[in-house]
Amino acid sequence: MAKDPVQTNPENYRVAFENERVRVLEYLDSPGHSTTEHSHPDSVMVTLSSFRRRISSNGNSVEVELPAGVARWLPAQQHSGENIGASDTHTFFIELKEPPPSPGNAAEQLGPTIS
């Protein structure tokens, strides 16, 4: 079941824009902060700050370090996150409301990708 990050972590996520095709979320946190588990549909993530995070789900975790000003694809996933860096995290998620073109056969992936 999908866990909406605006409901699970309202102190960090806010809806910046929404229509029938997309929802745009703004995310902010500080070093040491952790989120509770939540879900994202297929999304594009745009970073406004550089940051380092640990993304975890089902006993797996990955460390992600991104510079400010990049856009990355975020495949649909459920995870929790922790700011393990020395800077605030500030990013936008452009969530797609349309279903993927075909059922995904790719292995589950945590965090963003460059393609």
Side-chain angles (χ1 to χ4, degrees), residues 61-78:
S61 67
V62 62
E63 291 188 9
V64 175
E65 187 166 357
L66 290 171
V70 298
R72 295 291 187 262
W73 176 250
L74 184 75
Q77 58 190 268
Q78 185 167 304

Side-chain angles (χ1 to χ4, degrees), residues 11-60:
E11 68 282 4
N12 304 103
Y13 284 95
R14 77 171 185 91
V15 177
F17 175 83
E18 185 169 15
N19 67 19
E20 64 280 351
R21 298 184 67 199
V22 299
R23 180 172 82 156
V24 179
L25 300 181
E26 181 178 24
Y27 178 83
L28 292 158
D29 79 5
S30 299
H33 181 269
S34 294
T35 62
T36 58
E37 191 169 274
H38 57 277
S39 301
H40 293 278
D42 285 343
S43 306
V44 174
M45 180 178 66
V46 179
T47 63
L48 298 176
S49 67
S50 59
F51 57 83
R52 199 167 131 231
R53 302 186 65 72
R54 180 176 298 113
I55 310 295
S56 302
S57 181
N58 296 323
N60 297 316

